[in-house]
Amino acid sequence: MMKIFLLLVKRNIKLFFNDKGMFLTSLITPMILLVLYVTFLGNVYRDSFVQNFPPNIVRDKVIDGLVSGQLISSILAVSCITVAFCSNFLSVQDKALGNIKDLTISPVKPNVLSLSYYFASLVSTLIICLTALAVCLVYVAITGWYMNFSDVMLLILDVILLVLFGTILSSIINMFLSTLGQISAVGTIVSSVYGFICGAYMPLSSFPIGLQKVLSFLPGTYGTSLVREHSMRGALAAVEAEGLPQTHIDSVKDAMDCNIYFFGTEVTELTKFIILIITIVVLIGIYLLLNKFYKKKAR
């Protein structure tokens, strides 16, 4: 059974990377976001920091480090989810094109088939998102590097957790899709909406209080906060070393969502990790139960 599972995973990964449309869309998306953010939002972010800092206190290089940290955190927070949806569309495509019939008439258990799609999507998404992370780190090194080794390791962990979250979320949603039109619609919705509701495009602190409270229930919010915290922590420490008081640093963290609050209570870094991990485990359980339900229904 394990041999069949591995063969199916290999088959799905190979099909994904051979499909130039899905693969290139998934790979290019983070790069396009990086170019767009640098071109159109870099100066906006920089001006916002300059306006909030006392004049001639923080060096330009440190501000560049803050801007690059905010840029890559937004890109990674969105890409880990959108790429997961793109790579996981293979399961829907097989249903839409009728390829699933060839697999279901073979002696392959439905749960093995479903898990093969999940793990193949997980591997494919990790390859693309870790590559995107490497490109982002190169960009930070060029513009203003203030990260230490632990920051980089935590960023890698953040990406892995967000990919796990995005893959299992897309796996559950894709179970209810069966046409290419539905794939296109879901992809468009996720690409355009997720960045806003997770706080990647605009910090939650800029939203109305009521909306902030609603979005604080979404696990993606804490994933974005973790990425932002770890990508900007070194630059924020450099800002503090420039002589700014801790209260000023805390206000910047609040504004950038490095600090997240749940109904007025600050959520610690460990709690953010726990929320994300528990969400992943719960969604995996839901995915397995749904597969069991559909298996009985098919019988």
Side-chain angles (χ1 to χ4, degrees):
M1 189 61 65
M2 180 58 67
K3 183 178 180 180
I4 295 175
F5 170 75
L6 293 175
L7 287 173
L8 287 171
V9 171
K10 182 179 179 181
R11 173 254 183 193
N12 295 335
I13 293 174
K14 186 176 180 180
L15 284 176
F16 172 73
F17 284 103
N18 284 341
D19 188 324
K20 303 305 180 184
M22 282 195 297
F23 171 62
L24 290 177
T25 300
S26 302
L27 182 61
I28 292 174
T29 297
M31 312 309 168
I32 292 177
L33 285 175
L34 179 59
V35 173
L36 291 176
Y37 271 50
V38 172
T39 304
F40 297 104
L41 292 179
N43 289 332
V44 175
Y45 289 166
R46 182 180 178 82
D47 290 342
S48 66
F49 285 121
V50 171
Q51 292 171 5
N52 286 281
F53 290 151
N56 303 321
I57 295 294
V58 182
R59 290 175 293 134
D60 288 343
K61 192 68 174 178
V62 177
I63 294 177
D64 289 340
L66 286 172
V67 172
S68 59
Q70 185 178 2
L71 285 173
I72 69 165
S73 64
S74 299
I75 293 166
L76 293 172
V78 174
S79 298
C80 289
I81 308 302
T82 56
V83 172
F85 271 84
C86 288
S87 65
N88 218 340
F89 281 152
L90 179 62
S91 61
V92 185
Q93 185 172 287
D94 277 349
K95 287 188 285 186
L97 299 178
N99 297 333
I100 195 70
K101 295 178 181 179
D102 297 330
L103 297 172
T104 53
I105 62 174
S106 62
V108 179
K109 293 183 178 181
N111 58 337
V112 174
L113 184 59
S114 299
L115 288 175
S116 70
Y117 282 121
Y118 170 75
F119 278 97
S121 176
L122 178 62
V123 173
S124 300
T125 307
L126 277 174
I127 292 173
I128 293 173
C129 289
L130 290 176
T131 301
L133 172 60
V135 173
C136 287
L137 291 178
V138 171
Y139 168 72
V140 173
I142 294 172
T143 56
W145 182 274
Y146 290 94
M147 297 182 186
N148 56 32
F149 180 75
S150 63
D151 291 333
V152 176
M153 291 298 102
L154 286 170
L155 264 179
I156 294 174
L157 177 60
D158 297 338
V159 168
I160 292 173
L161 288 175
L162 280 172
V163 168
L164 283 167
F165 170 65
T167 305
I168 192 60
L169 180 63
S170 61
S171 296
I172 292 174
I173 293 175
N174 287 351
M175 289 186 67
F176 303 97
L177 307 181
S178 58
T179 67
L180 297 178
Q182 292 171 345
I183 292 177
S184 178
V186 170
T188 301
I189 292 172
V190 172
S191 300
S192 58
V193 174
Y194 182 78
F196 287 101
I197 64 175
C198 75
Y201 295 154
M202 295 175 58
L204 296 185
S205 58
S206 63
F207 292 164
I209 297 297
L211 185 56
Q212 289 183 39
K213 291 180 179 180
V214 172
L215 296 179
S216 67
F217 285 95
L218 302 181
T221 298
Y222 301 99
T224 301
S225 180
L226 283 171
V227 178
R228 188 149 288 166
E229 180 179 355
H230 298 146
S231 62
M232 298 182 68
R233 181 160 56 188
L236 285 170
V239 171
E240 186 175 1
E242 297 284 281
L244 264 70
Q246 185 61 47
T247 53
H248 204 120
I249 303 298
D250 289 339
S251 66
V252 173
K253 290 181 178 180
D254 291 346
M256 294 297 103
D257 288 345
C258 295
N259 294 336
I260 287 288
Y261 297 88
F262 185 79
F263 287 84
T265 302
E266 183 178 349
V267 182
T268 65
E269 180 181 3
L270 178 60
T271 303
K272 296 174 192 175
F273 276 119
I274 292 174
I275 291 171
L276 204 52
I277 292 171
I278 290 177
T279 301
I280 293 167
V281 173
V282 170
L283 289 178
I284 290 175
I286 293 173
Y287 181 63
L288 293 175
L289 287 174
L290 285 173
N291 274 289
K292 187 176 181 180
F293 169 77
Y294 276 105
K295 180 180 176 182
K296 290 181 178 180
K297 187 177 179 181
R299 288 179 177 176

